[in-house]
C-alpha cells in the first residue's frame, strides 16, 4: 500500500510539472544578432530584457524590449533605438506560436530533440511568420533550454527597417550595412 501511494504521488507530481506553465528565465536567456558593415566587419549585439512563457497547451509568448538593445557602443544603441526600432512608437518585438510541450516534458534529463517551429514575429507594426530550427534540451525535471539550431535570418525590408538601416549607415559613414540579419537565441524555461 505504501509503495502504491508513493507511486501515485510521484505520478501526480510529474504530471503537474509536465503540465505547468513554463516561465522564461531572463537572466539565463539571450537573443543575439549579427550585423555586417562595410561588407566585411561583423559585430554581435544582443537584447538584454526579455519576457516570456509557454503555457500548458504549448502557446509561446515572448516579448523583447527593443530599448534594451546592447551593441557595446552607447551612441550606436541610442541611434538604433531612435532611428531603427523607433522605440517611442514600437517598444517591443513580440513572438507567438505553438510548440509540443508534451514531447519536451517526456524527455529524460539530458536528452534533446530538434524541431522546426513557426512563430509570428511582430516588429515595428509588421507581423510575419518566421521559421526557426530549434534544439530542445531537458536540463532538469523543471528546466528546459530552447536554443537556435541554426540562425534565423531576419530581412530588414520585411519589417520596415531599411530606412533606419540607411540612416545608421549614413551617420556612421559606412559603405553598407547588411539588410539580412542572422539571429540566434538561448532561452531557458522553468516549469
Amino acid at each position: 500500500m505504501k509503495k502504491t501511494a508513493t507511486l501515485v504521488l510521484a505520478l501526480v507530481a510529474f504530471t503537474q510539472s509536465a503540465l505547468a506553465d513554463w516561465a522564461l528565465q531572463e537572466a539565463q536567456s539571450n537573443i543575439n544578432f549579427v550585423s555586417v558593415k562595410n561588407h566585411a566587419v561583423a559585430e554581435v549585439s544582443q537584447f538584454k530584457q526579455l519576457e516570456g512563457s509557454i503555457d500548458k497547451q504549448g502557446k509561446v509568448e515572448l516579448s523583447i524590449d527593443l530599448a534594451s538593445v546592447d551593441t557595446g557602443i552607447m551612441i550606436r544603441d541610442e541611434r538604433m533605438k531612435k532611428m531603427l526600432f523607433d522605440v517611442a512608437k514600437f517598444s517591443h518585438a513580440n513572438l507567438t506560436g505553438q510548440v509540443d510541450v508534451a514531447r519536451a516534458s517526456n524527455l529524460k534529463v539530458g536528452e534533446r530533440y530538434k524541431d522546426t517551429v513557426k512563430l509570428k514575429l511582430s516588429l515595428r507594426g509588421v507581423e510575419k511568420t518566421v521559421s526557426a530550427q530549434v534544439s530542445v534540451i531537458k536540463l532538469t525535471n523543471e528546466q528546459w533550454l530552447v536554443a537556435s539550431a541554426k540562425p534565423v535570418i531576419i530581412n530588414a525590408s520585411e519589417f520596415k527597417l531599411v530606412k533606419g538601416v540607411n540612416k545608421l549607415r549614413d551617420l556612421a559613414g559606412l559603405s553598407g550595412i547588411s539588410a539580412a540579419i542572422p539571429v540566434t537565441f538561448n532561452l531557458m524555461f522553468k516549469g
Side-chain angles (χ1 to χ4, degrees):
M1 180 72 171
K2 189 174 184 179
K3 286 183 183 180
T4 304
T6 303
L7 179 61
V8 168
L9 286 173
L11 286 173
V12 168
F14 172 77
T15 302
Q16 287 175 342
S17 172
L19 296 178
D21 289 351
W22 297 359
L24 181 72
Q25 304 301 291
E26 182 183 30
Q28 298 169 300
S29 300
N30 61 62
I31 295 179
N32 300 306
F33 62 95
V34 178
S35 56
V36 179
K37 62 184 184 183
N38 289 338
H39 311 290
V41 179
E43 297 173 324
V44 179
S45 301
Q46 67 177 328
F47 293 100
K48 291 183 136 185
Q49 294 181 355
L50 315 168
E51 291 182 9
S53 64
I54 301 174
D55 74 11
K56 297 175 188 82
Q57 290 77 36
K59 182 180 177 185
V60 176
E61 292 185 347
L62 182 66
S63 181
I64 304 162
D65 183 349
L66 297 175
S68 74
V69 66
D70 180 13
T71 65
I73 299 173
M74 194 164 31
I75 187 69
R76 183 169 46 198
D77 294 349
E78 291 305 316
R79 288 175 177 171
M80 288 181 79
K81 290 175 200 178
K82 184 177 180 182
M83 296 175 201
L84 183 65
F85 298 126
D86 191 5
V87 296
K89 289 183 189 173
F90 308 103
S91 60
H92 289 78
N94 296 296
L95 281 163
T96 58
Q98 193 73 29
V99 296
D100 187 349
V101 290
R103 184 175 180 190
S105 295
N106 289 329
L107 291 173
K108 293 179 184 170
V109 172
E111 285 185 335
R112 75 173 62 209
Y113 72 87
K114 289 185 179 178
D115 199 1
T116 301
V117 294
K118 301 271 186 201
L119 300 167
K120 286 186 181 176
L121 172 60
S122 177
L123 175 61
R124 284 189 53 97
V126 177
E127 186 174 275
K128 296 273 184 186
T129 299
V130 296
S131 184
Q133 291 186 11
V134 298
S135 180
V136 179
I137 306 162
K138 188 172 188 175
L139 300 176
T140 71
N141 283 327
E142 294 181 350
Q143 284 188 310
W144 291 262
L145 176 64
V146 179
S148 48
K150 292 183 178 179
V152 177
I153 306 299
I154 301 298
N155 192 319
S157 65
E158 293 180 346
F159 293 96
K160 299 180 183 177
L161 295 169
V162 173
K163 186 176 177 183
V165 169
N166 291 338
K167 282 182 182 178
L168 293 172
R169 181 200 63 214
D170 293 345
L171 270 175
L174 301 171
S175 61
I177 298 175
S178 177
I181 309 298
V183 177
T184 60
F185 52 87
N186 288 289
L187 305 173
M188 182 77 73
F189 288 93
K190 187 171 183 179

